[in-house]
Amino acid sequence: MQSLLLLRYVKWHYLDASRDILKGWGNILWFNFNYFSVLLLIQTFFSPWRRITWDYGRGFDFSRYLFTFASNLVSRILGAVMRSFLIAAGIVMEFALLFLGSLFFLFWLVLPAIIIAAFFYGIFLLF
Protein backbone atom coordinates (compact mmCIF):
# COMPACT_ATOMS: atom_id res chain seq x y z
CA MET A 1 0.00 0.00 0.00
CA GLN A 2 2.80 2.42 0.89
CA SER A 3 4.72 1.69 -2.29
CA LEU A 4 1.56 2.34 -4.28
CA LEU A 5 1.18 5.67 -2.48
CA LEU A 6 4.80 6.56 -3.26
CA LEU A 7 4.30 5.70 -6.94
CA ARG A 8 1.15 7.81 -7.07
CA TYR A 9 3.04 10.72 -5.51
CA VAL A 10 5.90 10.41 -8.02
CA LYS A 11 3.41 10.24 -10.91
CA TRP A 12 1.56 13.29 -9.58
CA HIS A 13 4.72 15.29 -8.87
CA TYR A 14 6.59 14.61 -12.10
CA LEU A 15 3.71 14.23 -14.57
CA ASP A 16 0.45 15.82 -13.50
CA ALA A 17 1.69 18.77 -11.45
CA SER A 18 4.61 19.43 -13.80
CA ARG A 19 2.23 19.58 -16.77
CA ASP A 20 -0.03 22.00 -14.85
CA ILE A 21 2.94 24.17 -13.92
CA LEU A 22 4.08 24.35 -17.55
CA LYS A 23 0.54 25.17 -18.65
CA GLY A 24 0.28 27.95 -16.06
CA TRP A 25 3.70 29.26 -17.02
CA GLY A 26 2.62 29.39 -20.65
CA ASN A 27 -0.49 31.33 -19.64
CA ILE A 28 1.64 33.84 -17.74
CA LEU A 29 3.94 34.31 -20.74
CA TRP A 30 0.93 34.72 -23.06
CA PHE A 31 -0.67 37.24 -20.67
CA ASN A 32 2.51 39.32 -20.46
CA PHE A 33 2.90 39.37 -24.23
CA ASN A 34 -0.69 40.54 -24.64
CA TYR A 35 -0.55 42.92 -21.67
CA PHE A 36 2.23 44.90 -23.34
CA SER A 37 0.50 44.46 -26.76
CA VAL A 38 3.80 43.82 -28.45
CA LEU A 39 2.35 42.70 -31.79
CA LEU A 40 -0.09 45.62 -31.92
CA LEU A 41 2.67 48.07 -31.06
CA ILE A 42 4.84 46.67 -33.84
CA GLN A 43 1.96 46.89 -36.33
CA THR A 44 1.24 50.53 -35.43
CA PHE A 45 4.86 51.55 -34.87
CA PHE A 46 4.79 54.77 -36.93
CA SER A 47 1.24 55.80 -36.05
CA PRO A 48 0.85 59.22 -34.39
CA TRP A 49 1.11 59.23 -30.63
CA ARG A 50 -2.38 59.01 -29.13
CA ARG A 51 -3.76 59.84 -32.59
CA ILE A 52 -2.75 63.48 -32.19
CA THR A 53 -2.69 64.95 -35.69
CA TRP A 54 -3.23 68.33 -37.25
CA ASP A 55 -5.48 68.99 -40.23
CA TYR A 56 -4.07 70.68 -43.32
CA GLY A 57 -7.24 72.71 -43.80
CA ARG A 58 -8.65 74.06 -47.04
CA GLY A 59 -6.60 75.90 -49.56
CA PHE A 60 -2.86 76.00 -49.84
CA ASP A 61 -0.80 78.10 -47.48
CA PHE A 62 2.84 77.02 -47.53
CA SER A 63 3.62 78.05 -43.93
CA ARG A 64 0.50 76.31 -42.58
CA TYR A 65 1.29 73.24 -44.70
CA LEU A 66 4.89 73.15 -43.41
CA PHE A 67 3.76 73.62 -39.77
CA THR A 68 1.14 70.86 -40.08
CA PHE A 69 3.59 68.49 -41.78
CA ALA A 70 6.25 69.10 -39.09
CA SER A 71 3.72 68.70 -36.26
CA ASN A 72 2.41 65.43 -37.69
CA LEU A 73 5.98 64.22 -38.19
CA VAL A 74 6.86 65.02 -34.57
CA SER A 75 3.73 63.18 -33.41
CA ARG A 76 4.73 60.10 -35.43
CA ILE A 77 8.32 60.22 -34.15
CA LEU A 78 7.07 60.56 -30.58
CA GLY A 79 4.76 57.59 -31.19
CA ALA A 80 7.64 55.50 -32.52
CA VAL A 81 9.85 56.40 -29.55
CA MET A 82 7.17 55.60 -26.99
CA ARG A 83 6.24 52.36 -28.74
CA SER A 84 9.86 51.28 -28.91
CA PHE A 85 10.18 51.75 -25.13
CA LEU A 86 6.99 49.77 -24.53
CA ILE A 87 8.08 46.99 -26.90
CA ALA A 88 11.48 46.81 -25.19
CA ALA A 89 9.85 46.71 -21.74
CA GLY A 90 7.52 43.92 -22.85
CA ILE A 91 10.33 41.84 -24.31
CA VAL A 92 12.56 42.36 -21.24
CA MET A 93 9.67 41.34 -19.00
CA GLU A 94 9.03 38.28 -21.19
CA PHE A 95 12.65 37.16 -20.82
CA ALA A 96 12.55 37.80 -17.06
CA LEU A 97 9.42 35.67 -16.74
CA LEU A 98 10.99 33.00 -18.93
CA PHE A 99 14.07 32.92 -16.69
CA LEU A 100 12.12 32.96 -13.42
CA GLY A 101 9.70 30.33 -14.65
CA SER A 102 12.54 28.02 -15.65
CA LEU A 103 14.14 28.48 -12.22
CA PHE A 104 10.83 27.66 -10.52
CA PHE A 105 10.30 24.60 -12.71
CA LEU A 106 13.83 23.36 -12.00
CA PHE A 107 13.23 23.92 -8.28
CA TRP A 108 9.98 21.94 -8.57
CA LEU A 109 11.79 19.02 -10.19
CA VAL A 110 14.47 18.77 -7.48
CA LEU A 111 12.14 19.58 -4.57
CA PRO A 112 11.69 15.95 -3.43
CA ALA A 113 15.47 15.49 -3.28
CA ILE A 114 15.79 18.75 -1.31
CA ILE A 115 13.14 17.60 1.16
CA ILE A 116 14.83 14.22 1.68
CA ALA A 117 18.25 15.85 2.06
CA ALA A 118 16.85 18.38 4.55
CA PHE A 119 15.25 15.55 6.55
CA PHE A 120 18.52 13.63 6.82
CA TYR A 121 20.43 16.83 7.59
CA GLY A 122 17.98 17.54 10.43
CA ILE A 123 18.52 14.06 11.84
CA PHE A 124 22.29 14.57 11.53
CA LEU A 125 21.98 17.81 13.52
CA LEU A 126 20.05 16.01 16.27
CA PHE A 127 22.77 13.46 16.89
Side-chain angles (χ1 to χ4, degrees):
M1 183 68 174
Q2 292 172 345
S3 64
L4 181 63
L5 185 62
L6 180 64
L7 287 176
R8 287 182 69 190
Y9 168 74
V10 169
K11 178 188 175 288
W12 170 81
H13 187 87
Y14 288 107
L15 293 178
D16 300 335
S18 295
R19 182 178 50 237
D20 291 341
I21 288 171
L22 289 175
K23 202 180 295 184
W25 183 26
N27 286 337
I28 289 171
L29 291 173
W30 177 84
F31 170 78
N32 179 64
F33 196 71
N34 287 310
Y35 181 75
F36 281 96
S37 304
V38 175
L39 287 179
L40 181 65
L41 290 173
I42 289 172
Q43 290 172 352
T44 61
F45 191 73
F46 288 110
S47 295
W49 178 245
R50 298 198 172 221
R51 291 190 243 157
I52 298 174
T53 58
W54 286 261
D55 189 18
Y56 286 97
R58 297 184 63 129
F60 183 75
D61 181 14
F62 186 72
S63 63
R64 186 178 62 202
Y65 180 81
L66 192 60
F67 172 77
T68 304
F69 178 76
S71 300
N72 287 337
L73 185 65
V74 167
S75 181
R76 288 182 186 273
I77 290 171
L78 181 63
V81 168
M82 293 303 292
R83 284 179 182 88
S84 63
F85 280 120
L86 288 171
I87 290 169
I91 290 173
V92 165
M93 195 65 169
E94 194 78 15
F95 280 120
L97 288 172
L98 194 64
F99 176 72
L100 291 174
S102 62
L103 281 181
F104 176 76
F105 189 68
L106 182 65
F107 174 74
W108 176 258
L109 292 178
V110 298
L111 186 62
I114 292 172
I115 292 171
I116 292 170
F119 177 75
F120 284 120
Y121 182 68
I123 290 179
F124 172 75
L125 288 177
L126 285 175
F127 300 108

